[in-house]
Amino acid sequence: MSVLLELERVEKAFGAVSVLNGVDMTVLAGRAVALAGENGAGKSTLMKIITGTHSRDAGVIRFRGKETNFNTARQSMDAGIAMIHQELNLLPALTVGENIFLGREPVDRARRVKWSEIYDQAEYWLKKLKQDIDPRAETGTLSIAQQQMVEIAKALSMNAELIIMDEPTDSLTDVETKILFEVVKKLRDSGKGLIFISHRLRDIFDMCDDVVVLRDGSMVHQSPVADISEDELIRHMVGRELSDRYPYVPSSSSKTRLRVTNLVAPGVRDVSFEACAGEVVGFAGLVGAGRTELGKAIYGANPARSGRIEIDGDEVCVRSPNDGLKYGIGYVTEDRKLEGLIQAHSINHNMSMAGLQRFTSKLGKINKNNERKAVTQYIDAFSIKAQGIDTSVAQLSGGNQQKVSIGKSLIPEPKILILDEPTRGVDVGAKREIYALINELKAQGLCILLMSSDMPELLGVSDRILVMSNGFLTGEFAHGEANQEVIMHCTLVGLTEGKQE
Amino acid sequence: MNIKKFVIENIPLIGLLLLMFLVSLINENFLTVDNLLNIFRQTSINAIIAMGMTFVILTAGIDLSSGSILAFAGAVCATLIAADVPLILALPSTLVLGAALGAASGSIVAYFGVQAFIATLVAMTMVRGGVLVFTGGRPISTGNFDVANIFYEVGGGYIGGVPIPVIITGVVFIICWYVLNHTRLGRYTYAIGGNEQATKLAGINVARVKVTVYAISGALAALAGIILTARLESAQPTAGLGYELDAIAAVVLGGTSLTGGRGRINGTLIGALIIGVLNNALNILDVSSYFQMIAKGSVILLAVVLDGRSKAST
């Protein structure tokens, strides 16, 4: 096997802060390398150096035997390195073909774009990936998984030899993840090299051949995946023992807090359930099963068309998030970048936004001392790592942003908390902290609805699991009763039922 | 490091001081108390409109109707004064009218999802039409009652040697600064411009904030209309043509981002002063008014490019 990419003692510092201190790494042609490490370990910086977005301070990078010195992402692309970002870089209003050939459209002598060639070529590359995607379709209408395939097709069409994928499975369902695995296998077999950045251990073990672990800017481990156990890998990543990944404390209360009866809303077809104070109710299902829509319907962001919502026995009419907030519902969105946080604003302003009323005097003046005190309490309690309370959210790592997002929903002191994918894009250590937080909130008597695509997490944290499929509830399991197989079964049951209608 | 930060955060102020320094080198009459007060008074109308505009722009919106609202408010105010309506009634009702007109275009933005540019363009056209219908295309005199003489003071009077329009501008500035920095309305105004979707999902009544913000802009445009009418002692149907553009220029010169969520009200005041100083300087340097427009455009361009550069470098 030939060496595709070789890094020797790569160093990088931003100002006085050293981010990478001498990283070695090797990627062989035909193998997939997992790059693991907690947020802030230096993974992104390393990738940016490989693709030429950042320059290195010291060290050597050789790609296909030649020492490289890329100054722009374009140069690395031309050399054969493609990076597929977590937030896909496709333009939603353009067609699939236009996206694949964006900026390098084939033209004839009169500089007219040769559309038929674009679509033929696009189709060819998508077929290679065994994807049935119409190259003339508007990209925004595709699922995230399909868009990812479009990105891969784009990379292949540029003759990429090395493909770097950042958190590719994060927004994929289990089924979609399997399809991605297949494609990755095919790419490997055809001799391409791959680098995977992933927080999901399962991905690493299912999909990758080698694993490289970064911690605090140093490479602490490199070996074939087969030579390492999950526990060892976690230990390398966090540098300490994580005894219990899903600390579970049984629910103690049985007072019904939320009762939902025959709720119908866009994406939700007929849902009835109850949830108690001090209980974590998990919602399983495929992406598009209606879990996010259900959460938003209860909160008022996706108002219900019919059905009843009762809180503590009183029927409530939630027509907007503003109503949801008034009735004591807290909501943490799955998309913290787009819907959750104001990236350019400070931690302080983000976190206090929903609960500002608490700090406002009768005359309408915000008591900034009280505000800062409350926010600081959450920063300390959640051990949010930031320079200060006025640091902008954009500068925080994913896990810390998520904690800000959760803190924001807690400051208004809700009775019901809806968490949609709370650990997406969050590293192992921070995940553990978020689970501990969920347990603590549960102990305080909060009623928590947890939507998650991470099955082990759902099984580990929930007191009860409800399975959603196609807008219906198709199964209910108590903690310990459920496993991945029965949940998957319920998911599929709903799909066939939906088809019969 | 800290000096660099200070410079970047205060580019509008430094620009203004530099401009004043340069002009004072060329002309000794520039840096006199009389001339400075004159500049302040000339700037007040643009500054008041621009402060309302700042609220709107902070939400990532824009208000093109300010000039028309100014004219409408001026015409209505002049009519009220001519009918011997006491100031205590005439002025507040004019302000309420301006706020209502602003709230109307704000409602179209907030509840019908029409883009601010289009909604306020419609308002600009319709309100201007309303002014022409209302006035019949002729100036409205403020009449000969005693109340008119008191009314003129609003535009031309002095308190303790300071022109009343300047005092009004100062009061408006303090109120705007307080609202933006110390109240929920202010916080939500920034939040909507920073990420409207997130603000909405945090449970904030975004539509209500938007309507309020356009109402503020309308009310301040009406206030500017009152001052202008008082100064001219009559209301002109074509008053305020293009004033919204000067106000937008002042906001942008003051460092407020047109994409919303970032900016300061003191910047806007400085931005308005930069335009005022420039106009004054070109006048006392006897530059022809044709060239003045070219010079003004160039300065705005220079300022915006410099500001963008310095922000990109941080």
Side-chain angles (χ1 to χ4, degrees), chain A residues 299 301 321-322 325 331 333 337-342 345 349 352-354 356-357 360 364-366 368 371 408, chain B residues 178 181-185 187-188 190-195 197-205 208 260-262:
Chain A
Y299 182 56
N322 192 231
L325 184 70
Y331 180 80
T333 166
K337 204 161 190 179
L338 238 58
E339 301 188 325
L341 299 171
I342 305 172
H345 290 186
H349 285 191
S352 65
M353 181 157 67
L356 269 184
Q357 197 145 21
T360 313
K365 186 176 192 292
I366 297 170
K368 292 190 179 177
E371 180 192 12
K408 169 178 153 188
Chain B
Y178 183 83
N181 291 291
H182 290 282
T183 70
R184 275 190 283 161
L185 175 64
R187 205 59 86 65
Y188 297 159
Y190 280 96
I192 290 172
N195 185 342
Q197 188 62 18
T199 309
K200 202 173 197 172
L201 214 54
I204 281 124
N205 193 336
R208 196 165 65 197
R262 201 178 43 134

Coordinates of all heavy atoms in Angstrom, one line a residue, chain A residues 299 301 321-322 325 331 333 337-342 345 349 352-354 356-357 360 364-366 368 371 408, chain B residues 178 181-185 187-188 190-195 197-205 208 260-262:
Chain A
Y299 N -44.0 23.3 21.8 CA -43.5 24.6 22.2 C -44.1 25.7 21.5 O -44.1 26.9 21.9 CB -42.0 24.6 21.8 CG -41.2 25.8 22.2 CD1 -41.2 26.3 23.5 CD2 -40.5 26.5 21.3 CE1 -40.5 27.4 23.9 CE2 -39.7 27.6 21.6 CZ -39.8 28.1 22.9 OH -39.1 29.2 23.2
A301 N -43.7 26.5 18.1 CA -43.0 26.9 16.9 C -43.6 26.3 15.7 O -43.3 26.8 14.6 CB -41.5 26.6 17.1
P321 N -43.8 30.4 20.0 CA -42.8 30.1 21.0 C -43.0 31.1 22.2 O -42.7 30.7 23.3 CB -41.5 30.4 20.3 CG -41.8 30.2 18.9 CD -43.2 30.6 18.6
N322 N -43.5 32.3 21.9 CA -43.8 33.2 22.9 C -44.8 32.7 24.0 O -44.7 32.8 25.2 CB -44.4 34.5 22.3 CG -44.4 35.7 23.2 OD1 -45.4 36.3 23.4 ND2 -43.3 36.0 23.9
L325 N -43.1 29.8 26.0 CA -42.2 30.3 27.0 C -43.1 30.7 28.2 O -42.8 30.4 29.4 CB -41.5 31.6 26.5 CG -40.5 32.3 27.4 CD1 -39.3 31.4 27.6 CD2 -40.1 33.6 26.8
Y331 N -37.1 25.1 25.3 CA -36.8 24.4 24.1 C -35.4 24.6 23.6 O -34.9 25.7 23.5 CB -37.8 24.9 23.0 CG -37.6 24.2 21.7 CD1 -38.2 22.9 21.4 CD2 -36.9 24.8 20.6 CE1 -38.0 22.3 20.3 CE2 -36.7 24.1 19.4 CZ -37.3 22.9 19.2 OH -37.2 22.2 18.1
T333 N -33.1 23.7 20.5 CA -33.2 23.3 19.1 C -32.1 22.3 18.7 O -31.0 22.3 19.3 CB -33.2 24.5 18.2 OG1 -33.0 24.0 16.8 CG2 -32.1 25.5 18.5
K337 N -26.8 26.5 15.4 CA -26.2 27.5 14.6 C -27.3 28.4 14.0 O -27.2 29.6 14.0 CB -25.3 26.9 13.6 CG -24.3 27.8 13.1 CD -23.2 27.1 12.4 CE -22.0 28.0 12.2 NZ -20.9 27.3 11.6
L338 N -28.3 27.8 13.4 CA -29.3 28.5 12.6 C -30.4 29.0 13.5 O -30.9 30.1 13.4 CB -29.9 27.6 11.6 CG -29.8 28.1 10.1 CD1 -28.3 28.3 9.8 CD2 -30.4 27.1 9.2
E339 N -30.8 28.2 14.5 CA -32.0 28.5 15.3 C -31.8 28.8 16.7 O -32.6 29.2 17.4 CB -33.0 27.4 15.2 CG -33.5 27.0 13.8 CD -34.6 26.0 13.8 OE1 -34.6 25.1 14.7 OE2 -35.5 26.1 13.0
G340 N -30.6 28.4 17.2 CA -30.4 28.4 18.6 C -29.7 29.7 19.1 O -30.2 30.3 20.0
L341 N -28.6 30.0 18.6 CA -27.7 31.0 19.2 C -27.5 32.2 18.2 O -27.5 31.9 17.0 CB -26.4 30.5 19.7 CG -26.5 29.4 20.7 CD1 -25.2 28.7 21.0 CD2 -27.1 30.0 22.0
I342 N -27.2 33.3 18.7 CA -26.8 34.4 17.9 C -25.3 34.4 17.9 O -24.6 34.8 18.9 CB -27.3 35.8 18.4 CG1 -28.8 35.7 18.5 CG2 -26.9 36.9 17.5 CD1 -29.5 36.9 19.1
H345 N -23.1 37.4 19.0 CA -23.3 38.0 20.3 C -22.7 37.3 21.4 O -22.3 36.1 21.3 CB -24.9 38.2 20.5 CG -25.5 39.3 19.5 ND1 -26.8 39.6 19.6 CD2 -24.9 40.0 18.5 CE1 -27.0 40.6 18.7 NE2 -25.9 40.7 18.0
H349 N -25.5 37.7 26.5 CA -26.7 38.2 25.9 C -27.5 37.0 25.3 O -28.7 37.0 25.3 CB -26.4 39.2 24.8 CG -26.1 40.5 25.3 ND1 -26.0 41.6 24.5 CD2 -25.8 40.9 26.6 CE1 -25.7 42.7 25.3 NE2 -25.6 42.3 26.5
S352 N -29.2 35.0 28.4 CA -30.2 35.7 29.2 C -31.5 36.0 28.3 O -32.5 36.4 28.8 CB -29.7 36.9 29.8 OG -29.3 37.8 28.8
M353 N -31.3 35.8 27.0 CA -32.3 36.4 26.1 C -33.8 35.9 26.4 O -34.7 36.8 26.6 CB -32.0 36.0 24.6 CG -33.0 36.5 23.7 SD -32.4 36.6 22.0 CE -32.1 34.9 21.6
A354 N -34.0 34.6 26.6 CA -35.3 34.1 26.8 C -35.9 34.5 28.2 O -37.1 34.6 28.4 CB -35.4 32.6 26.6
L356 N -35.0 37.3 30.0 CA -34.7 38.7 30.4 C -35.8 39.3 31.4 O -35.4 40.1 32.2 CB -34.7 39.6 29.1 CG -33.3 39.8 28.5 CD1 -33.4 40.7 27.3 CD2 -32.3 40.2 29.5
Q357 N -37.0 38.8 31.2 CA -38.1 39.3 32.1 C -37.7 39.2 33.6 O -38.0 40.1 34.3 CB -39.3 38.5 31.8 CG -40.6 39.2 32.3 CD -41.8 38.9 31.4 OE1 -41.7 37.9 30.6 NE2 -42.8 39.7 31.4
T360 N -35.8 42.3 34.7 CA -36.2 43.6 34.3 C -37.1 44.2 35.4 O -37.9 43.5 36.0 CB -37.1 43.5 33.0 OG1 -36.4 42.7 32.1 CG2 -37.3 44.9 32.5
G364 N -38.9 48.8 33.4 CA -38.4 48.3 32.1 C -36.8 48.3 32.0 O -36.3 48.0 31.0
K365 N -36.1 48.6 33.1 CA -34.7 48.6 33.0 C -34.1 47.2 33.4 O -34.6 46.6 34.3 CB -34.1 49.6 34.0 CG -32.6 49.8 34.0 CD -32.2 50.9 34.9 CE -30.8 51.3 34.7 NZ -29.8 50.4 35.1
I366 N -33.2 46.7 32.5 CA -32.6 45.5 32.8 C -31.6 45.6 33.9 O -30.7 46.5 33.9 CB -31.9 44.9 31.6 CG1 -32.9 44.7 30.4 CG2 -31.1 43.6 31.9 CD1 -32.2 44.4 29.1
K368 N -28.5 44.7 35.1 CA -27.4 43.9 34.4 C -26.6 43.1 35.4 O -26.0 42.1 35.1 CB -26.5 44.9 33.7 CG -27.2 45.5 32.5 CD -26.3 46.2 31.5 CE -27.0 46.7 30.3 NZ -26.2 47.5 29.4
E371 N -28.4 39.9 35.9 CA -28.3 39.2 34.7 C -27.0 38.4 34.7 O -26.9 37.2 34.5 CB -28.5 40.1 33.5 CG -28.4 39.4 32.2 CD -28.2 40.4 31.0 OE1 -28.0 41.6 31.3 OE2 -28.4 40.0 29.9
K408 N -29.6 28.8 28.2 CA -30.6 29.8 27.7 C -32.0 29.4 27.9 O -32.9 30.2 28.4 CB -30.3 30.1 26.2 CG -31.3 30.9 25.5 CD -30.9 31.0 24.1 CE -32.1 31.2 23.2 NZ -31.7 31.2 21.8
Chain B
Y178 N -30.6 54.8 26.0 CA -31.1 54.1 27.2 C -31.9 52.9 26.7 O -31.7 51.7 27.2 CB -32.0 55.0 28.1 CG -32.5 54.3 29.3 CD1 -31.7 54.2 30.4 CD2 -33.8 53.7 29.3 CE1 -32.2 53.6 31.6 CE2 -34.2 53.1 30.4 CZ -33.4 53.0 31.6 OH -33.9 52.4 32.7
N181 N -29.6 50.1 25.3 CA -28.6 49.5 26.2 C -29.2 49.0 27.5 O -28.5 48.2 28.1 CB -27.5 50.5 26.5 CG -26.6 50.7 25.2 OD1 -25.9 49.8 24.8 ND2 -26.7 51.9 24.7
H182 N -30.4 49.4 27.8 CA -30.8 49.1 29.2 C -32.2 48.5 29.2 O -32.7 48.2 30.3 CB -30.8 50.3 30.1 CG -29.4 50.7 30.5 ND1 -28.6 50.0 31.4 CD2 -28.6 51.6 30.0 CE1 -27.4 50.5 31.4 NE2 -27.4 51.5 30.6
T183 N -32.8 48.3 28.1 CA -34.2 47.7 28.1 C -34.3 46.4 27.3 O -33.4 46.2 26.4 CB -35.3 48.7 27.6 OG1 -35.1 48.8 26.2 CG2 -35.2 50.0 28.2
R184 N -35.3 45.7 27.5 CA -35.5 44.4 26.8 C -35.7 44.8 25.3 O -35.2 44.1 24.4 CB -36.7 43.7 27.3 CG -36.4 42.8 28.5 CD -37.5 41.9 28.8 NE -38.6 42.7 29.5 CZ -39.8 42.3 29.7 NH1 -40.2 41.2 29.1 NH2 -40.7 43.0 30.4
L185 N -36.5 45.8 25.0 CA -36.7 46.2 23.6 C -35.4 46.4 22.9 O -35.3 45.9 21.8 CB -37.5 47.5 23.6 CG -37.8 48.1 22.2 CD1 -38.6 47.1 21.3 CD2 -38.4 49.5 22.2
R187 N -32.5 45.1 23.7 CA -31.8 43.8 23.6 C -32.4 43.0 22.4 O -31.7 42.3 21.6 CB -31.9 43.1 24.9 CG -30.8 42.0 25.2 CD -29.4 42.6 25.2 NE -29.0 43.2 26.5 CZ -28.8 42.5 27.6 NH1 -29.0 41.2 27.6 NH2 -28.4 43.1 28.6
Y188 N -33.7 43.0 22.3 CA -34.4 42.2 21.3 C -34.1 42.8 19.9 O -34.1 42.1 18.9 CB -35.9 42.2 21.6 CG -36.3 41.5 22.8 CD1 -37.6 41.7 23.4 CD2 -35.5 40.6 23.5 CE1 -37.9 41.1 24.6 CE2 -35.8 40.0 24.7 CZ -37.1 40.2 25.2 OH -37.4 39.6 26.4
Y190 N -31.3 44.2 18.9 CA -30.1 43.6 18.5 C -30.2 42.1 18.1 O -29.7 41.6 17.1 CB -29.0 43.8 19.6 CG -28.4 45.1 19.6 CD1 -28.8 46.1 20.5 CD2 -27.3 45.4 18.8 CE1 -28.3 47.3 20.6 CE2 -26.7 46.7 18.9 CZ -27.2 47.6 19.8 OH -26.6 48.8 19.9
A191 N -31.0 41.4 19.0 CA -31.1 40.0 18.8 C -31.7 39.6 17.5 O -31.3 38.7 16.8 CB -31.9 39.4 19.9
I192 N -32.8 40.4 17.1 CA -33.5 40.1 15.8 C -32.5 40.2 14.6 O -32.4 39.4 13.7 CB -34.7 41.0 15.6 CG1 -35.8 40.6 16.6 CG2 -35.2 40.9 14.2 CD1 -37.0 41.5 16.7
G193 N -31.7 41.3 14.7 CA -30.7 41.5 13.6 C -29.6 40.4 13.6 O -29.1 40.1 12.6
G194 N -29.3 39.9 14.8 CA -28.3 38.9 14.9 C -28.7 37.6 14.4 O -27.9 36.9 13.7
N195 N -29.9 37.2 14.7 CA -30.4 35.9 14.2 C -31.9 35.9 14.6 O -32.4 35.5 15.7 CB -29.7 34.7 14.9 CG -30.2 33.4 14.4 OD1 -31.2 33.3 13.7 ND2 -29.4 32.4 14.6
Q197 N -34.4 34.0 13.5 CA -35.0 32.7 13.7 C -34.7 32.3 15.2 O -35.6 31.8 15.9 CB -34.3 31.7 12.8 CG -35.0 30.3 12.8 CD -36.4 30.4 12.4 OE1 -36.9 31.3 11.8 NE2 -37.2 29.3 12.7
A198 N -33.5 32.5 15.6 CA -33.2 32.1 17.0 C -33.9 32.9 18.0 O -34.4 32.5 19.1 CB -31.7 32.2 17.2
T199 N -34.1 34.2 17.7 CA -34.8 35.1 18.6 C -36.3 34.7 18.7 O -36.8 34.6 19.8 CB -34.8 36.6 18.1 OG1 -33.4 36.9 17.8 CG2 -35.3 37.5 19.1
K200 N -36.9 34.3 17.6 CA -38.2 33.9 17.6 C -38.4 32.6 18.5 O -39.3 32.5 19.3 CB -38.6 33.6 16.2 CG -40.1 33.6 16.0 CD -40.4 33.5 14.4 CE -41.8 34.0 14.1 NZ -41.9 34.0 12.6
L201 N -37.4 31.7 18.2 CA -37.5 30.4 18.9 C -37.1 30.5 20.4 O -37.4 29.6 21.2 CB -36.5 29.4 18.2 CG -37.0 28.0 18.2 CD1 -38.4 27.9 17.5 CD2 -36.0 27.1 17.4
A202 N -36.6 31.6 20.8 CA -36.3 31.8 22.2 C -37.6 32.3 22.9 O -37.6 32.5 24.1 CB -35.2 32.8 22.4
G203 N -38.7 32.5 22.1 CA -39.9 32.8 22.8 C -40.2 34.3 22.7 O -41.1 34.8 23.5
I204 N -39.4 35.1 22.0 CA -39.6 36.5 21.9 C -40.6 36.8 20.8 O -40.6 36.3 19.7 CB -38.2 37.2 21.7 CG1 -37.5 37.2 23.1 CG2 -38.4 38.6 21.3 CD1 -36.2 36.6 23.1
N205 N -41.5 37.8 21.1 CA -42.5 38.2 20.2 C -41.9 39.1 19.1 O -41.9 40.3 19.2 CB -43.6 38.9 20.9 CG -44.9 39.1 20.0 OD1 -44.7 39.1 18.8 ND2 -46.0 39.2 20.6
R208 N -43.9 41.9 17.3 CA -44.2 43.1 18.1 C -43.0 44.0 18.2 O -43.1 45.2 18.0 CB -44.7 42.7 19.5 CG -45.4 43.8 20.2 CD -46.1 43.3 21.4 NE -45.2 42.8 22.4 CZ -45.6 42.0 23.4 NH1 -46.9 41.7 23.5 NH2 -44.7 41.6 24.3
G260 N -27.5 44.0 10.2 CA -28.2 43.9 11.5 C -27.4 43.3 12.6 O -26.3 42.7 12.5
G261 N -27.9 43.6 13.9 CA -27.3 43.0 15.0 C -26.0 43.6 15.6 O -25.6 43.2 16.7
R262 N -25.5 44.6 14.9 CA -24.2 45.2 15.4 C -24.2 46.7 15.1 O -24.5 47.1 14.0 CB -23.1 44.5 14.7 CG -21.7 44.7 15.4 CD -20.7 43.9 14.6 NE -20.9 44.2 13.1 CZ -19.9 44.5 12.3 NH1 -18.7 44.6 12.7 NH2 -20.1 44.8 11.0

